[in-house]
Amino acid sequence: MALTEGTTTGQETAEGRPVHRGAILAIILVSYFMIILDNSIIFTGLPAIERTMGFSPTELAWVQDAYTLTFGGALLLGARAGDIVGRRRMFIAGLVVFTFASVLVGASPAGWWMVAARALQGIGSAVLAPSSLSLLTATFEEGPARDRAVALYAAVAGIGASLGLVVGGTMADLLSWRAGFYLNFPIGVAMIAMGVRFIPQMGRGRGRFDVAGALLSTLGMGALVFAIVSSADYGWAAPQAWAPLAAGILLLGLLVLNEARTAQPIMPLGLFRNRIRVGAYTVRMLYMAAMMGFFYFTTQFLQEVLHWTPLQAGAGFLPMSAVNFAVAMAAPRLVARFGARLVLLAGVVLTFAGMLWLSQAGAGSQYLVAVAVPMVVIGVGQGLALAPMTGLAITGVAPSEAGAASGVVNTFHQLGSSVGLAVLVAVGSGAAGDAMDPAAVGSRVHSALEAASVILAAAVVLVVALVLPRTRHTR
């Protein structure tokens, strides 16, 4: 049977070749891992980047903010383009852009070059991330096979984030911060070649492209992310923050009106009619807000308070990485036995408990009890939470809307990361200002992680209110 856009049951492609689902899954996972790895490598490399490129503290923030701005702004556009143009085409295009931009970052001769290359990386990620998830949805039917694939996808998200700190710290200590970005080149080239070889050719979707929706979503999301980024530097009272915020809200409001009227919307509003999916989206946003703060502030705590090197700080996340992988691999069996919603609840509750425990660490704390053990609890929670969170967000989505649904998932993920980090940085700065002595850093970390615990408590409430109650459509 020929495999066309959106079908998952055929054993052969349109050219008569067999469909290698294992190879397709490996390509998806490695490519997504490259994005996550790159995003966390930057944290341990920032001090060396600041010295090498001559950035001021404000300019240094744009190394991450330029990436966040384009990634968040172009997500819905990149996701829907996969449905219209073809998932294989967009997946490979995203790989090409991301890989090329990574080389440009590593070769940066000046600060402006690096910021521009990071923005280009964000565009590549905005195409690649939703294309990865929609390709997974199109390749595996709902059931045990998709559950296992989603569990692996979620494991990559958790492990890549913490392993990126290890890789970034190792590269920065032993070689250069540039090496972490150059690492993407051989991986990207290999995945492009494998994608051309193993991913089936998928036809173009029918219908017209939602040009107005594409413009409104890209500009609206971009303005919103820009406002969040600017608020960390200027405060919400400054026009640099509230003006783009107002523009973003207006543009996104117009987007909703446009999507309600167009025949083939870039963000189908029907995705939000399912209460469980809405719960999965909003819980993901809050969860990622807390987890971005966890990585950002725990790295600072290890280096500035415990006086660890970047390599040691990266290695300090290994207990979390190990347990996260083990639990994520067991998640499909737990979901089959207890249901996705109960497993999600357990994961978010455990993450909350670990975060609250970690927030109590101070200058006189010992790593093993104050950091490593709560990290293990957080790792167990993340291993349990991410797979059902992702699975519930794409359950029941029509194949023709897989790309749009994946874009919504990644949009809430990116919004949570951006908003969460801006809010938690503001909370930490309010507690101890900008001083870099160990006591001040410890105070900032304590306040920020306590705020992250409050965010996770809100996520627990949303799981109970929106995700746990059964509907007449669920068994």
Side-chain angles (χ1 to χ4, degrees):
M1 178 179 177
L3 183 68
T4 57
E5 182 76 26
T7 64
T8 60
T9 58
Q11 299 300 312
E12 294 184 347
T13 67
E15 297 82 17
R17 292 183 299 174
V19 177
H20 298 281
R21 287 184 171 81
I24 295 172
L25 180 60
I27 295 165
I28 292 170
L29 295 180
V30 173
S31 301
Y32 187 54
F33 180 79
M34 185 170 63
I35 295 176
I36 300 297
L37 187 72
D38 186 85
N39 203 24
S40 55
I41 276 177
I42 202 74
F43 285 135
T44 44
L46 282 176
I49 292 171
E50 183 177 17
R51 291 191 300 270
T52 304
M53 307 304 292
F55 282 123
S56 69
T58 301
E59 292 169 340
L60 181 66
W62 278 102
V63 173
Q64 179 64 15
D65 293 343
Y67 177 88
T68 301
L69 184 63
T70 54
F71 189 7
L75 260 171
L76 288 176
L77 175 59
R80 194 54 170 169
D83 289 334
I84 303 297
V85 178
R87 296 184 187 112
R88 179 180 185 264
R89 295 183 182 92
M90 294 306 297
F91 180 80
I92 293 176
L95 269 175
V96 170
V97 173
F98 186 86
T99 303
F100 176 66
S102 296
V103 175
L104 292 180
V105 175
S108 299
W112 67 266
W113 178 301
M114 185 176 189
V115 171
R118 285 286 286 166
L120 185 61
Q121 264 194 321
I123 294 173
S125 296
V127 175
L128 187 55
S131 296
S132 300
L133 186 55
S134 62
L135 190 59
L136 184 150
T137 305
T139 304
F140 297 91
E141 294 178 334
E142 285 193 26
R146 182 185 289 184
D147 291 341
R148 287 191 294 270
V150 168
L152 287 168
Y153 187 88
V156 163
I159 295 168
S162 50
L163 189 60
L165 297 170
V166 180
V167 174
T170 303
M171 296 288 189
D173 264 9
L174 303 182
L175 297 172
S176 165
W177 61 265
R178 299 178 187 272
F181 294 99
Y182 285 136
L183 183 64
N184 289 335
F185 180 73
I187 299 174
V189 169
M191 291 305 101
I192 291 167
M194 290 184 65
V196 172
R197 168 67 178 84
F198 290 107
I199 298 176
Q201 187 66 257
M202 296 182 179
R204 298 173 181 266
R206 296 180 179 178
R208 299 175 60 187
F209 193 76
D210 179 15
V211 177
L215 291 173
L216 289 170
S217 66
T218 302
L219 294 175
M221 287 291 298
L224 193 61
V225 174
F226 184 81
I228 294 163
V229 167
S230 299
S231 70
D233 291 330
Y234 304 105
W236 284 110
Q240 293 93 327
W242 63 257
L245 175 65
I249 293 173
L250 175 62
L251 289 167
L252 292 177
L254 293 174
L255 171 66
V256 172
L257 293 176
N258 179 78
E259 302 306 273
R261 298 177 181 179
T262 189
Q264 194 168 11
I266 196 170
M267 184 183 67
L269 298 183
L271 294 172
F272 297 93
R273 295 194 183 104
N274 182 297
R275 171 173 48 79
I276 293 176
R277 278 203 298 267
V278 171
Y281 298 151
T282 52
V283 168
R284 189 182 197 92
M285 181 174 66
L286 294 177
Y287 194 88
M288 293 315 303
M291 291 307 297
M292 182 60 72
F294 160 74
F295 286 112
Y296 184 85
F297 286 100
T298 305
T299 304
Q300 289 188 34
F301 180 83
L302 293 175
Q303 294 189 60
E304 304 296 338
V305 179
L306 299 187
H307 305 293
W308 287 17
T309 66
L311 175 58
Q312 290 173 322
F317 285 85
L318 285 176
M320 177 186 175
S321 299
V323 72
N324 183 288
F325 181 78
V327 174
M329 292 301 94
R333 294 193 297 274
L334 295 173
V335 167
R337 181 172 181 180
F338 299 106
R341 286 169 289 185
L342 286 177
V343 174
L344 173 60
L345 177 62
V348 179
V349 168
L350 283 172
T351 309
F352 161 74
M355 192 75 72
L356 188 60
W357 185 350
L358 181 63
S359 70
Q360 306 309 307
S365 299
Q366 296 296 316
Y367 166 76
L368 182 62
V369 175
V371 180
V373 178
M375 268 190 183
V376 168
V377 177
I378 292 172
V380 173
Q382 188 177 42
L384 291 174
L386 284 181
M389 194 185 301
T390 303
L392 290 169
I394 59 176
T395 297
V397 175
S400 61
E401 295 184 343
S406 302
V408 173
V409 171
N410 280 281
T411 296
F412 276 83
H413 183 113
Q414 192 63 24
L415 269 180
S417 300
S418 305
V419 174
L421 189 56
V423 169
L424 295 177
V425 166
V427 170
S429 298
D434 295 327
M436 292 305 294
D437 60 277
V441 174
S443 179
R444 279 202 298 275
V445 171
H446 170 74
S447 298
L449 294 184
E450 275 198 338
S453 302
V454 173
I455 292 173
L456 287 170
V460 172
V461 172
L462 285 177
V463 173
V464 173
L466 296 178
V467 180
L468 276 186
R470 293 182 178 273
T471 69
R472 60 190 179 90
H473 299 295
T474 59
R475 292 180 296 176

